Amino acid sequence: MTLHFETLAIHDGQTPDPLTGAVTVPVYQTSTFGRESLDSRPEYFYSRIGNPTRTALESTLALLENGRHGLAFASGVAAITAALQVLRPGDHIVAGADIYGGTYRIFEQIMRQWGVETSYAADASTESYEACLRPETKMIWIESPSNPLLQVTDIRAVSGIARPKGIVTAVDNTFPSPYFQRPLELGADIVVHSTTKYLGGHSDVIGGAVVTNEDRFHHAIRNYQAAAGAIPGPWDCWLVLRGLKTLKVRMREHEATALHLARALQEHPKVSKVFHPGLPDHPGHELAKRQMHGFGGMLTIALEGGLPAVGKLTSATKLFVLADSLGGVESLIASPARMTLGALSPEERQRRGCTDDLVRLSVGLENAADLEEDLMNALATI
Ligand SMILES: *Cc1c(COP(=O)(O)O)cnc(C)c1O
């Protein structure tokens, strides 16, 4: 029997506890496990190396991405750092134009000092990634849809160029979640997640994940996980597991409300632009229709009136909370220029098209009409 996404999210790796019959995976809140004898080789002996609650999460994450191996980490950036361990000094990365600010910081402040340089594509087109390739390029790093402009990269085309050259394609799949996009099916080699966002889904946990089909990548990254130790605790694993069970219904609702708001905001005179891949005039719309199973719950708008208008809107909403992060049940509003990408230099923000007039919305699970009214009331204060 081939099980569907939402069935796997609830049942995979989560059979009733053999000891008690508990239907949810217990939180194995223990640092170590007793051994029978000096010769015994138990599956679990120390929770940095392995813990049954974490195993259940890792197994479910792998299945939802249609991958063979899943690994859980203490944060999204820990997962990203672990995935980069397949590289060696002297290697070169080509990254998307519009990547998460924390990933940019890892590339520029951590990897560079270990001799790994990164170049950034000019835009989301396949040609712009190709133009950055060097003989020593060993990895292409994609975020699609990107943050905050929601640009769409053709994962199949880029990984198709990378593979014959022995270049690893890694995709940060945090924005769409595996419900809307499965990069391994499109030819990517490694998928990373901030499980803090949609996978956890309730703004109550920080976590990350790496999924791959390749044994050699899995072994390198698993070895790093055990050796460097950025593992999530059992409670955090349990919270993400609980989030995954409702991922499908949450993603559908996030998307429906985001599209509703995108259309409403397009009509508003103070909104100069609306970025959402589900809108037919979005440059990535056709590509998103082909490579994704939905368009997601993130929405970015540009305001007439620049930063002062952004300041007014973000302090006037009552339901949209002014906060970093995304992907939770509650709607959040943010200024990419002042918050999520605020640590970048003004030149770097300009290169990325991250202008001061942008507002990023993480559309939650509240009633769509209530959210629309909240935004309209707040826009009226500008
Ligand atoms: C939040 C985020 C990360 C980093 O994850 P943390 O859990 O905050 O460490 C990486 N990539 C994307 C796209 C994100 O949104």
Side-chain angles (χ1 to χ4, degrees), residues 244-305:
L244 287 177
K245 293 175 207 249
T246 54
L247 184 63
K248 168 193 156 174
V249 288
R250 286 187 290 109
M251 291 314 293
R252 286 193 166 175
E253 186 75 9
H254 283 301
E255 175 186 59
T257 308
L259 263 169
H260 172 83
L261 296 177
R263 294 193 188 105
L265 289 164
Q266 269 187 318
E267 306 299 320
H268 199 284
K270 298 201 177 116
V271 175
S272 50
K273 207 159 180 338
V274 178
F275 304 85
H276 188 276
L279 295 174
D281 65 353
H282 186 280
H285 179 66
E286 289 305 319
L287 175 56
K289 268 206 316 211
R290 258 186 287 136
Q291 81 176 0
M292 300 176 72
H293 308 282
F295 303 107
M298 295 301 294
L299 174 63
T300 298
I301 58 176
L303 290 184
E304 300 288 353

Side-chain angles (χ1 to χ4, degrees), residues 209-246:
V210 177
V211 181
T212 182
N213 280 321
E214 290 266 349
D215 293 347
R216 64 196 164 107
F217 297 152
H218 175 66
H219 290 140
I221 298 166
R222 161 128 186 77
N223 191 39
Y224 182 80
Q225 179 198 43
I231 47 112
W235 263 110
D236 288 354
C237 292
W238 190 89
L239 284 168
V240 177
L241 265 174
R242 181 163 75 168
L244 287 177
K245 293 175 207 249
T246 54

Side-chain angles (χ1 to χ4, degrees), residues 75-77 80 100 103 143 172 174-175 194 196-197 206-207 326:
S75 65
V77 293
I80 291 165
Y100 178 70
T103 308
E143 237 179 87
D172 182 334
T174 300
F175 267 41
S194 168
T196 311
K197 315 296 169 52
I206 298 278
L326 60 104

Side-chain angles (χ1 to χ4, degrees), residues 97-132:
D98 189 29
I99 56 169
Y100 178 70
T103 308
Y104 178 80
R105 188 161 55 183
I106 294 171
F107 289 162
E108 293 306 314
Q109 293 181 17
I110 297 176
M111 297 309 284
R112 194 172 285 278
Q113 66 176 347
W114 292 103
V116 176
E117 266 189 49
T118 304
S119 305
Y120 300 89
D123 56 45
S125 70
T126 305
E127 297 71 42
S128 73
Y129 285 85
E130 212 172 357
C132 294

